[in-house]
Amino acid sequence: KIISMTEKPVITYVTYESENQLPLVMRLMEKDLSEPYSVYTYRYFINNWPKLCWLAMHGEECVGAVVCKLEAKTLSYRGYIAMLAVNSDYRGHGIGIALVENAISTMQEHGATEVILEAEVTNKGALRLYQKLGFIRDKRLYRYYLNGVDAFRLKLDLDHSANANAIKQPAK
């Protein structure tokens, strides 16, 4: 199904609720991400932090997803975005930004003061998306991915970021 750039699809954003949604998330991620992840990796994130896994639904079809976790630091929490993918037919409609904003908002509600992630240096679309949200390049990780590509570690400081206060409440 091809969605034209002028036709704005009606997207509903929901958090992960059941194992029935796992194949939807896996299918989407496997299509777009360069790293192969086992079902156990998905279950680690999704079963431990189900409210940090957001799905973008167009009817019954999962067209986007973000998978995250939250870790305790000394006096606060750090959010981590493990995976983000949007079906290529649905890109350009703000779905990726909405998914990440929903995840960050949920992380903030649970005490996160920063969010980190890694993105391939060659993934210009992802780097642009995260830059729009206020993430900065923290460091370059050489040959980080199995395919030999370098990564940037990106960081969003929620305590001091101008964008942190602009993060919207979760879209429904």
Side-chain angles (χ1 to χ4, degrees):
K1 178 192 304 189
I2 304 286
I3 302 296
S4 76
M5 288 304 288
T6 57
E7 177 187 341
K8 185 151 175 80
V10 177
I11 303 297
T12 305
Y13 297 90
V14 298
T15 54
Y16 184 85
E17 293 177 0
S18 81
E19 186 81 5
N20 296 336
Q21 294 168 311
L22 184 60
L24 302 174
V25 173
M26 289 180 64
R27 195 172 314 120
L28 188 66
M29 298 296 175
E30 288 170 356
K31 184 177 174 191
D32 283 343
L33 300 183
S34 62
E35 293 284 289
Y37 294 106
S38 76
V39 68
Y40 303 108
T41 302
Y42 290 99
R43 285 189 174 132
Y44 165 74
F45 286 101
I46 293 172
N47 290 338
N48 287 307
W49 300 277
K51 296 300 178 205
L52 294 178
C53 176
W54 283 86
L55 310 179
M57 303 298 295
H58 184 220
E60 295 296 312
E61 183 181 5
C62 180
V63 298
V66 64
V67 175
C68 309
K69 73 176 184 173
L70 199 58
E71 300 176 309
K73 289 179 31 178
T74 306
L75 297 172
S76 62
Y77 289 91
R78 170 188 290 148
Y80 177 72
I81 298 174
M83 302 171 218
L84 170 68
V86 175
N87 180 312
S88 59
D89 294 338
Y90 288 81
R91 292 182 187 157
H93 294 287
I95 295 169
I97 285 180
L99 286 165
V100 173
E101 286 179 337
N102 286 346
I104 292 171
S105 178
T106 305
M107 290 176 197
Q108 285 179 300
E109 289 169 12
H110 290 90
T113 57
E114 68 180 12
V115 180
I116 61 168
L117 63 102
E118 294 84 29
E120 288 188 13
V121 297
T122 56
N123 190 340
K124 303 300 182 206
L127 294 172
R128 226 177 2 260
L129 180 147
Y130 291 116
Q131 183 177 0
K132 284 181 192 173
L133 290 170
F135 283 82
I136 59 166
R137 294 177 185 178
D138 189 41
K139 66 173 90 169
R140 188 174 186 130
L141 306 168
Y142 294 94
R143 300 183 55 80
Y144 182 80
Y145 291 101
L146 293 175
N147 61 8
V149 173
D150 294 354
F152 285 121
R153 164 123 344 108
L154 304 177
K155 182 177 177 181
L156 177 65
D157 183 346
L158 296 173
D159 281 343
H160 301 100
S161 169
N163 276 9
N165 294 327
I167 298 296
K168 300 175 191 159
Q169 289 302 310
K172 301 290 179 191

